[in-house]
Each structure stands twice: as C-alpha cells, then as structure tokens.
Amino acid sequence: MRHGVVGRDEVFDQAWRLLGRPGPVLLEGPAGIGKTELWRALVAEAAHAGWLVLSCAPTEAETELPYAALADLLGPLADRVAELPRPQRVAAEVVLLSGDADETVDVRVVGAATRSLLEAATAANTHPAVLVAVDDAPWLDRPSERALRFALRRVTGLATLASRRPGGTAPGEVPLGLDEGRDGGRLGRVEVPPLDVGALHHVLRERLGVTLSRPMLVRVAREAEGNPLLAIEVVRALQRLPRQPSPGEDLPVAASMHHLLADVLAGLPSESRAAVRLAALLTVPAVVDLAAAGVSTAALDAPEEAGLLVVTPTGVRFTHPVYAAAVRAGIPPGVRRRLHRQLAGLVTDQDERARHLGLCTTDPDPTVAETLTAAAGRWHSRGAPDFAAQLYERAAQLTPADDRDRLGHRRLAAARCRFDSGDFPAARTAADAVAAEFTDDVRAESLLLRAVVAWCGGEAGRVAVDNGTRALAAARPGSALAGRIHAHLAVFDDRPEQGRAHAEAAAVLLDGRDDDHELLAAALVLLFFQEVRLGRAPRTDLLDRALRLEGDEPAWLAGTVPAIWWKAIDDAERARRRLHRMLGRAEARGDEPLQHELLSHLGEAELLAGRWAEAERHITAARELGDQLGTGLVGETWLAGLLDAHRGRLAEAARVAESGLRLADELDDDWCRRIHQQLAGFVALSAGRMVEAAAAYSSLAATIDGTGLVEPLAMRFEPDWIEACVGAGDLDRAAAVLDRLTARHHRLPRPWTTLGSARARALLDSATGVDPGDALDALAAARDAVPPAVLPLDRARCLLVAGIVHRRSRRKLPARQALEAAVGEFTAIGAAAFADRARAELARVGGRPPTPRHLTATEERVARLAARGRTNRAIADELFVSPKTVEANLARIYRKLGITTRAELGAAMTRGDAPTMGDVGG
C-alpha cells in the first residue's frame, strides 16, 4: 500500500518514471477502476517533491460551466496575470473571475493567456518541475479544453498528466492533443489494471468496514472484474439483502452501475431521493440552493451514509462522478423537467437559471427565449462562443415561429459564435441554413458570414466572392450593410478593377458612420491599393486618412496592405515596423492564422531588403506555424525557394518551382502560377540559362497581363526579363520590355525601378552597339542614388552589369574593378549564384591582371594632361621633365589602366576609373 494507493505500487512507479522524462502521461481505464486515486497520488507525490502543481478535476456537470476547469488549473498562477499583455490580462481575469471585461473576450486570447502563464511558470525556475494534471480529461468544459489544448501543444518543459476512461474521446483521439506536444517525447500510456483479490479486500475493509470470507471475496472480485467501485456497490447490494447468497445463487449484477444505484436510491427516504436528484442536476450543488429547494440538512444524511455524497458546510459533491451521471440517467424525463423548473425559480445565478429554463421548457416561450439570448450574449463576451452558440440555438428553438426577425437574428448569432469558436464546418452549415430560410438583411448577413468562413477556412477564393456577391444582392442598396459587404468583397476579389469598384463603393457608403470607422479605413486602404495595382498614380492621401482612422489598431480586413505597399516602394523599414507591430498584437491575441500571414510578409520584406538571415528566420517560423495549423504552405515554400535561389542553392529552388507550377495547374490558380513562374525564371537567370529564363518570364508576363495587374510587387521581374532577353539575343523583346519598365519608372520612381531600368539600359545599349558611356554614367548615378541598405542585391547587380559592359567594350581595368567589387558585395550578402557569375565574367576579362598599385603623383599629372590632348613635349615642358620621362610614365599608366590608346585614357580619366594617390587613403 505504498504511496497510499492500494494495490498500485507497480503502476504508480511506472507513471512516476514516465513523468520524469519528456512527453505527457495518460492514465487509462474504465470508470471506477481507480484512475482518480492513482492520479491524486501522483499529484501529491509531485507536490511533495517540490513541483509546481497545476491541476483540475472536472466533473460531468461542469462541462456546462465554461472555464471552470481552467480557472482551477490556473489559480496558482493568478499573481502572474498582471504581467500579461492587456488583451491576455483581461481574458485571464475573466477566466479566474477576478475582473469583468468591458469588451468581448476572443476565445483565442484565452488560449494565448494560458500559454503565456504556463511559459512564465516554466521559465521561473523556482520549482524542480511544473506539472499540469487533468483528471477525467474528456469531462473538461469545451472552452477550457480548447485553451489547454492550444497551450500544451506550444509550451515546452512541462510535465503533463491526464486520465480518461474508454469512450470519453473519439476512437484513436488522445485528449488535449497530448500526442502532439513540442518536447519531442512520446506519449506515455499507463493502463490502470483491475485489482486482485488481496487489494480488493483492503479497499472493502477501508471503505465499508467489512471483511468478506475468502470464497465470497473471490466471487465479488470476479463479478466486478477487479473494478473497485463496482465491487463496493456489489457489497453494498449484498448488505441490503436479507441474507447472503448461497454458493449456487447469483450475486447482484455488477455490470450495470445504473441498476445498482437504482436499488440504492430506492432504499432512500423520498426526501433524500429528491435531494440527490436535485444535487445531480445542479452544475455546482450548493447548500444554499438545495435549502431554497426545500432540502433539509437531515435529508442529506441517508445518501451520505450510503456513500453517495459528501456534505460540506457550503456544498455537496458526489463521491464519484459516475454516481452523479447514473442518478441523472435514472430520472424520468417528466420528473427531470419538473425539477429543472423548480431549480430555475430558485437559483440566484442568472446563467444557471437560464440553463434550467432551457432544459425545462418544451413549447415556444418568448420570455424564456429572451433570457437564453441574454445569457448567450454574456457567455460570448466572456470568451465561450461555443457555449453561447448552444444557448442561441436553444433560444431560437423557443422563439415563436411568427417572430421572424428575432428568430433569424438568433440563428445568425449562433452561426457567428460557431465561427468565432473556430468550428468552420458548423458555421458554414449554419450560415447556409439561415440564408436559405430568411430574406433581406438576415439573408445578406448570413451570406456575408458564409463568405468570411470561406475566406478564412481555406476554401477557393471564388466561393468567398460568390457568397459576397449574393449577400450584396440581398442587402438594401445604399445601406451600411451593403457598405460592409463591399469592403469585404474588395479583399475577396483579386481582380484589380472589381476590387477597386467594391472598395470605392464601401468608402462612399461607410463614410461618416462612426461605428464602421475600422471598415472605412480598410476600404480606403483597398481603394488606394487597387488603383495602384491598375497602374494609376498613387493617391497617398487615401492611405494617410486610412492610417489616421486606424489609430493604434490596424484593421484585420486589410491590415497588411500598407506594408505590402511599402515593400513595393522599397520602404523596408516602414513595412518592417508595421508588420512587427501587427505580429506582436496577433501573438498577444493568440491569432495564429494572422501570425502565419505576417511572418510570410516579413520573410518577403527581409528578402527584398537583402537581410537573408532574418528572412530565413521568418520564413521558417511561417512554415512551422502553417504546418501546425494545417494550412497550405504554398506561399512560404515559394519564399524558401526564392531564398535558396538567392543563396545559390539552385537545384533546391528549381524543385520548388516545378512542384509549384504543377500545383498551380491542378488548382488552376493564377496567383500560385505567377509566383512559381517568377521563381523558375530567376533560377534560370541565376544559372546563366538565358533562353530558359526569357521563356519563363514571358509566360509570367502573360499570366500577369491576363489578370489586369500593373503594380506593384508583381512587376519587379521586368529588369531580369530584359537581362534574359539580351542574353538570349532577343533584343526586340528586350527593347519592348524596357519601354514598359521606363514608363513604370516615370509614373512612379522607386529604388527598384531606378536601379532596374539603369541596369537594363546599359545591357541593351551594349548589346545593340550603342556607345555605353552615357548608360554607364546613368548606371553609376542610379547606384549612388540608392542607399546601400535599401536594395543591396540590386546595387551589386549594377556592378556586375557595369563589369560586363566594360568587358564588351574591351576596357579591362574598369571591367575588372567593377566585377571584383561585385564579387565582394555578392559575397557579403550571401548571393552565391551571382558571385559565381561575377567570377565567371572576371575570368572572361582575360589578359594580364593590372598591377594593384595606384598611379603615382607624377603619373596622375601626366595622365590628366595627356587626357586633355597635350603632346608629350607640352607635358614635358609643363612638368619640367624630359619627353622620354613622359613617354615612360605613359607606358606605366597604360599598363596599370589596362588600356592602349589616348582615347581610352581620356574616357578613363573622365569617368574617374583611374586609381590615384588620393584613393589610397579613401
């Protein structure tokens, strides 16, 4: 009887060992087998060892009391709540009943608060270990279960212990997702076995004070199959018999606990029997509520003596949860409704009263329906939307059929609660049902909800657009509801002209409505952005007004659009600040789908800015989170492939492009096709396969032109397209694309258009035989105009192009200097493929490498005079040296600069290519 648990030494030791290694522990066994006693012993052992124990032991009745279990479990961490971010602090106070929220608590925020508190507990290092222990996990109330499941899958360093009975969860499902933890340890399953005869002897003597003969004890153990709870009830049934059964007679049937308890209840006085039933129907059986129902203290004596109840000064609890469930199951339906009606008139808690009213009312009743609606609103505001959905649905059932307005709005509210709880399939079904049954605004609202469910639930974009369009047709023209629908359609519809029209309509309809300022801000942002995508001049006043309307809270509907715009104009720092601010808010609210989106945007922003280590960190985090959420990984896989291509891992990037293009064909998805065509072109360009790159970029341009897109990020490939066409010898196409790029640059100059157009012009002039001097000057000016930290890769590529053009013009020294500088800059940012291309161009320069020495002061004076057209004699006279000395200096100058004529010397000195004594110090 070590550890105070009879007959469980071996299984206790097994479970305790498992708790000491990574991975959760699950106690399994049928009801009454002794899981709870073993669970309590393990919890006590952990506390004795100095562990911080966070535990809860929910009962079946408490499944209807949102956050009851979570409040018990987080109670020891209440002093840490003040340290949480405000949204999490408010949510935790609601759960712990230490504060009331003046705003609706998002169910995801409760999960985030739970995670933060558990992480703080593990990080404190004030205890040897932190144990999260849940007895009878399948009886967790749904909001507590969801919050704990969210947190336990994400927090490392916890010891986790749970118990369950067969049938408590779906077949093969592990409660709380304990088989998906992050510690890397496997789930440890501990089967609680039946007790042997000797252990049952000790249990019966301790609980009932009886000692059975050996033959009878063996019969009881066999009849109860080693289940101690069943054995106790069998012996109690034996004690009620007038005589002990003879060896040939059957014992009381132990297979049915309900049957055995029916006999126990039948033997109780009628007053006691009523008291037990009332206690079983109360969520939390309090003495004051039982007394209000007419239950005397004396009426509780008999059931307590029978081992059914334990009575405390403030309340009553059943000695085993199975007893309460069996009592409820044995109450006839009519009697149960009568008792619920009695309790509804007595309990003081308004939510408990609403529950009893809902259970005792059978016919439509507007008063009861209104009571349930009010209770549903309270539970929704407290972060229990699934429980609120049930109340709204019950309220709708009790709403008179002729009250169509209230009926429709209650069913719609239930559908919204299903969506808020994350149950997208249920929300989809409910929204479709409401849309099919109702008309006007209720139909429009339900179709809008259906569109939002499609958009957030990963359905095809056209499903969201179709339902949004149907919602718009059902709404009153010119109404605020129509404006809200237009605002959503501006996001759902990726076609620029249609999106612009919806955004403009939303901005008109929502302007001046204070309650819709968030959607108005989104509409203005989208109107600005869709106009830019169509190639119109950016109306930044729209963006500025939207940002003022937002204040400190970016709108979820279009919150990332400003950052996308700033990425497009290479304002990486501003984009970065907004995305990080939004990410912090999303993390505080537990909004992981938004976190996933923001991490992807951050990865792209850092990739464009040449900060590839940061880009990799964000892309990896996005992929891990996307995998955890079960969402598609197309975007972040593409970003990872693009990062591989920039770093020179071209084979890996090519595989991503190929698989992405196959997926795009399967889905007929232009966005997926577009990004992977871009990746395929960039991989081919980086590898120097110009014909292949030109073909890929031509296909990409056709895809984009087909969508009507003109701006912004979609067009960054055009300079690469020109480079590929020049390399492939398709100079006519290169010139046509350059015209497009030049028009884009004149419409809206940005760092990438500045560098890209200058780079493309230099390549095309060199290929068509035009003197590249002006283009090279423009290229150098463009590079100087863009700060090094803005587009480091594009700036380095300008050096590569300068080196190529100089080489083609047979100017070896400037070619070598530009290419060596390009190699250095490519290497510094990790652009391995481009560094290799620059080295290959260096090898093509050929000839004797120029001496690394700079021009001496005399050589510099001779070179400058010679570049001005002075003869050797004139130079000698001016410098007071002999003509032979001038000739010797010129020979050294030509050798150092890699040139052969005075014309080349003049060009070199004009461009400043010649290294001088002044360059040594700089």
Side-chain angles (χ1 to χ4, degrees):
M1 292 185 290
R2 204 155 52 87
H3 312 298
V5 183
V6 177
R8 302 297 190 199
D9 287 0
E10 185 176 343
V11 72
F12 178 96
D13 290 340
Q14 177 192 2
W16 183 249
R17 284 195 304 271
L18 289 173
L19 283 175
R21 57 100 175 114
V25 179
L26 180 63
L27 306 178
E28 296 181 289
I33 200 66
K35 298 184 302 299
T36 294
E37 289 302 319
L38 180 59
W39 178 87
R40 288 173 180 165
L42 290 165
V43 166
E45 185 72 9
H48 181 71
W51 294 16
L52 173 61
V53 175
L54 308 173
S55 65
C56 62
T59 65
E60 185 182 18
E62 290 175 346
T63 58
E64 299 185 24
L65 193 58
Y67 296 122
L70 188 62
D72 288 344
L73 189 138
L74 296 181
L77 303 178
D79 59 338
R80 298 182 181 272
V81 169
E83 303 167 8
L84 297 176
R86 185 183 180 279
Q88 296 182 21
R89 184 176 69 251
V90 171
E93 288 172 349
V94 168
V95 169
L96 295 170
L97 304 179
S98 59
D100 292 320
D102 55 1
E103 59 194 71
T104 298
V105 173
D106 191 316
V107 61
R108 293 169 298 187
V109 183
V110 179
T114 303
R115 174 184 183 174
S116 295
L117 288 171
L118 293 180
E119 286 178 336
T122 58
N125 293 322
T126 54
H127 299 272
V130 177
L131 173 65
V132 172
V134 180
D135 188 27
D136 259 324
W139 275 343
L140 282 165
D141 61 273
R142 175 60 179 147
S144 293
E145 194 274 342
R146 182 175 47 239
L148 280 173
R149 177 183 288 265
F150 175 88
L152 293 177
R153 289 180 60 188
R154 291 158 177 80
V155 180
T156 59
L158 291 172
T160 311
L161 173 67
S163 71
R164 72 163 179 183
R165 65 196 185 286
T169 52
E173 180 183 348
V174 176
L176 292 170
L178 294 180
D179 55 343
E180 303 169 358
R182 294 186 57 190
D183 276 343
R186 292 181 301 171
L187 173 67
R189 296 177 181 268
V190 178
E191 186 72 30
V192 182
L195 289 180
D196 59 23
V197 172
L200 280 176
H201 163 71
H202 288 289
V203 170
L204 294 172
R205 187 176 62 182
E206 179 183 339
R207 291 290 302 276
L208 302 178
V210 301
T211 301
L212 300 179
S213 66
R214 178 71 180 182
M216 180 59 72
L217 182 61
V218 170
R219 292 182 66 190
V220 167
R222 184 170 59 246
E223 187 68 34
E225 297 181 341
N227 187 305
L229 187 64
L230 283 174
I232 288 170
E233 292 308 319
V234 169
V235 173
R236 281 178 174 158
L238 287 172
Q239 291 176 323
R240 292 193 295 271
L241 296 175
R243 63 176 180 80
Q244 293 289 302
S246 65
E249 294 177 319
D250 290 334
L251 297 183
V253 180
S256 171
M257 181 64 71
H258 292 184
H259 182 273
L260 289 172
L261 284 178
D263 290 342
V264 174
L265 290 172
L268 296 176
S270 59
E271 184 183 14
S272 297
R273 189 161 55 249
V276 171
R277 285 174 168 174
L278 287 169
L281 293 176
L282 284 166
T283 303
V284 179
V287 168
V288 63
D289 290 331
L290 291 172
V295 175
S296 66
T297 304
L300 299 172
D301 291 342
E304 187 171 29
E305 290 174 1
L308 293 177
L309 303 175
V310 173
V311 182
T312 69
T314 58
V316 170
R317 67 173 176 84
F318 285 86
T319 54
H320 197 283
V322 170
Y323 293 161
V327 169
R328 282 191 293 272
I331 305 174
V335 175
R336 179 183 287 211
R337 285 194 296 271
R338 177 176 58 77
L339 293 176
H340 278 303
R341 189 173 297 110
Q342 179 185 359
L343 290 170
L346 297 172
V347 294
T348 56
D349 183 84
Q350 55 185 347
D351 295 317
E352 181 77 351
R353 177 174 180 270
R355 185 177 75 86
H356 289 296
L357 283 173
L359 292 170
C360 72
T361 307
T362 55
D363 298 322
D365 186 320
T367 302
V368 173
E370 188 61 37
T371 301
L372 293 174
T373 299
R378 288 191 296 273
W379 281 119
H380 187 224
S381 69
R382 295 171 192 165
D386 36 15
F387 192 68
Q390 297 174 20
L391 289 171
Y392 276 126
E393 288 164 356
R394 184 60 178 147
Q397 292 170 357
L398 297 177
T399 301
D402 58 354
D403 192 351
R404 298 290 293 172
D405 185 61
R406 286 189 176 86
L407 179 61
H409 280 95
R410 284 164 184 167
R411 289 182 55 186
L412 181 59
R416 285 181 176 137
C417 286
R418 295 296 183 194
F419 173 74
D420 289 343
S421 70
D423 190 348
F424 290 172
R428 184 184 308 127
T429 300
D432 282 337
V434 175
E437 186 175 340
F438 294 87
T439 59
D440 301 329
D441 282 0
V442 172
R443 172 176 168 79
E445 293 273 16
S446 62
L447 287 169
L448 176 58
L449 174 62
R450 179 67 184 88
V452 172
V453 172
W455 183 258
C456 297
E459 296 180 70
R462 62 178 176 274
V463 178
V465 173
D466 290 347
N467 280 284
T469 304
R470 292 167 61 205
L472 194 59
R476 287 177 291 109
S479 64
L481 174 56
R484 293 197 296 273
I485 297 169
H486 275 299
H488 284 80
L489 280 168
V491 174
F492 300 158
D493 200 331
D494 192 49
R495 297 170 297 178
E497 184 53 54
Q498 289 81 350
R500 188 210 62 79
H502 285 304
E504 185 174 49
V508 170
L509 294 174
L510 298 176
D511 200 0
R513 300 178 184 271
D514 292 340
D515 54 338
D516 285 320
H517 71 276
E518 181 180 341
L519 276 179
L520 175 59
L524 293 170
V525 166
L526 290 165
L527 177 57
F528 159 80
F529 192 61
Q530 296 291 17
E531 288 185 350
V532 170
R533 296 177 86 206
L534 286 165
R536 302 184 185 182
R539 291 199 283 163
T540 54
D541 58 307
L542 293 175
L543 179 61
D544 293 339
R545 185 187 172 199
L547 294 176
R548 287 195 301 271
L549 283 170
E550 277 188 358
D552 293 331
E553 189 67 33
W556 76 269
L557 193 61
T560 58
V561 171
I564 296 172
W565 163 246
W566 291 323
K567 282 191 291 182
I569 61 173
D570 300 309
D571 192 347
E573 181 54 36
R574 199 170 181 187
R576 189 181 297 125
R577 284 199 305 269
R578 182 174 179 89
L579 291 170
H580 276 295
R581 182 160 62 95
M582 291 183 67
L583 182 61
R585 291 176 180 274
E587 289 171 344
R589 286 168 168 75
D591 189 345
E592 291 191 331
L594 181 55
Q595 292 175 50
H596 175 253
E597 179 184 356
L598 293 168
L599 287 167
S600 297
H601 281 301
L602 276 167
E604 184 179 30
E606 300 296 15
L607 186 59
L608 292 173
R611 293 165 31 126
W612 293 346
E614 290 85 352
E616 182 175 37
R617 179 166 58 85
H618 294 311
I619 294 168
T620 300
R623 296 184 74 173
E624 290 175 352
L625 187 54
D627 186 49
Q628 193 173 69
L629 293 172
T631 57
L633 300 177
V634 175
E636 55 268 35
T637 300
W638 164 72
L639 282 172
L642 198 56
L643 182 59
D644 279 339
H646 280 81
R647 286 178 161 173
R649 297 194 284 262
L650 300 182
E652 294 89 337
R655 283 194 290 270
V656 172
E658 291 167 5
S659 62
L661 289 171
R662 286 196 299 270
L663 179 63
D665 289 339
E666 293 172 10
L667 301 177
D668 192 22
D669 187 319
D670 276 342
W671 174 79
C672 182
R673 182 176 295 110
R674 171 167 101 221
I675 61 176
H676 288 96
Q677 284 173 333
Q678 178 189 354
L679 178 58
F682 188 73
V683 169
L685 180 75
S686 300
R689 301 192 299 271
M690 297 304 182
V691 173
E692 180 184 336
Y697 285 132
S698 296
S699 298
L700 171 59
T703 301
I704 292 177
D705 291 346
T707 66
L709 277 175
V710 178
E711 293 284 1
L713 289 176
M715 298 303 170
R716 294 182 81 104
F717 71 95
E718 285 178 333
D720 292 349
W721 188 11
I722 296 168
E723 182 178 342
C725 289
V726 169
D730 190 351
L731 302 185
D732 290 340
R733 184 182 294 273
V737 179
L738 181 57
D739 289 342
R740 284 176 37 149
L741 177 58
T742 302
R744 190 181 318 288
H745 176 67
H746 288 159
R747 183 168 59 248
L748 179 63
R750 287 149 282 174
W752 78 264
T753 61
T754 299
L755 295 175
S757 57
R759 197 172 79 229
R761 169 63 65 190
L763 282 171
L764 190 57
D765 281 0
S766 175
T768 55
V770 176
D771 184 352
D774 291 342
L776 285 170
D777 290 342
L779 184 62
R783 183 175 146 84
D784 290 341
V786 176
V790 173
L791 290 173
L793 178 64
D794 293 60
R795 293 181 81 257
R797 290 181 67 182
C798 288
L799 290 173
L800 174 59
V801 167
I804 292 172
V805 172
H806 280 306
R807 177 186 61 75
R808 289 174 178 169
S809 300
R810 299 184 183 279
R811 289 189 283 270
K812 294 184 178 181
L813 178 63
R816 183 172 294 279
Q817 290 172 334
L819 292 169
E820 287 177 344
V823 170
E825 292 192 12
F826 286 138
T827 302
I829 62 174
F834 282 104
D836 289 343
R837 284 186 60 193
R839 292 188 187 97
E841 289 293 336
L842 267 174
R844 297 178 67 182
V845 170
R848 178 180 173 183
T851 175
R853 291 176 298 168
H854 293 72
L855 299 183
T856 66
T858 300
E859 289 168 352
E860 182 182 350
R861 288 194 291 271
V862 170
R864 293 197 180 280
L865 291 170
R868 295 174 190 158
R870 303 286 185 88
T871 64
N872 287 5
R873 169 61 65 183
I875 296 172
D877 291 344
E878 184 167 339
L879 298 181
F880 302 103
V881 295
S882 69
K884 287 191 175 183
T885 301
V886 172
E887 187 175 347
N889 273 281
L890 282 173
R892 289 195 298 273
I893 291 167
Y894 287 174
R895 187 170 65 252
K896 288 184 178 182
L897 298 186
I899 59 178
T900 57
T901 67
R902 286 207 177 198
E904 289 179 304
L905 176 61
M909 298 305 291
T910 300
R911 289 193 305 270
D913 290 339
T916 67
M917 288 296 292
D919 294 327
V920 176

